[in-house]
Amino acid sequence: MKAKIIIDRELCKSCGYCIMACAKKIISFDENFNAMGYHPAMPVNIDKCNGCELCAIVCPDIAIEVYRNDKQN
């Protein structure tokens, strides 16, 4: 795994900026609501993530954390 994305579903307000920013198209909206009544973003096909952090950079609610595994085998 190159990177891991963690999205705090309770902070997400479904703006969709992370979905638009992701070049790998690995983020989509969850079908389920969060406590505020929004469909939060969620990672899908996480194995394709390269850890670019664009999703976290554009998130106005600071709901996304990206962890990269920079160690090479």
Side-chain angles (χ1 to χ4, degrees), residues 3-6 49 51-56 64-68:
K4 179 180 178 181
I5 299 173
I6 297 176
C49 180
C52 71
E53 299 182 14
L54 285 177
C55 56
I64 303 174
E65 295 180 41
V66 178
Y67 297 95
R68 290 187 297 200

Side-chain angles (χ1 to χ4, degrees), residues 27-38:
I27 304 173
S28 68
F29 288 119
D30 192 340
E31 292 179 5
N32 300 309
F33 293 105
N34 64 13
M36 295 186 300
Y38 296 108

Side-chain angles (χ1 to χ4, degrees), residues 4-65:
K4 179 180 178 181
I5 299 173
I6 297 176
I7 301 175
D8 186 331
R9 58 179 287 110
E10 297 307 323
L11 289 178
C12 181
K13 294 181 185 159
S14 304
C15 68
Y17 293 153
C18 59
I19 295 170
M20 291 183 279
C22 183
K24 299 288 185 176
K25 304 298 181 206
I26 64 162
I27 304 173
S28 68
F29 288 119
D30 192 340
E31 292 179 5
N32 300 309
F33 293 105
N34 64 13
M36 295 186 300
Y38 296 108
H39 290 280
M42 62 179 252
V44 294
N45 298 323
I46 193 68
D47 294 337
K48 295 180 181 179
C49 180
N50 63 5
C52 71
E53 299 182 14
L54 285 177
C55 56
I57 292 168
V58 300
C59 180
D61 298 308
I62 313 169
I64 303 174
E65 295 180 41

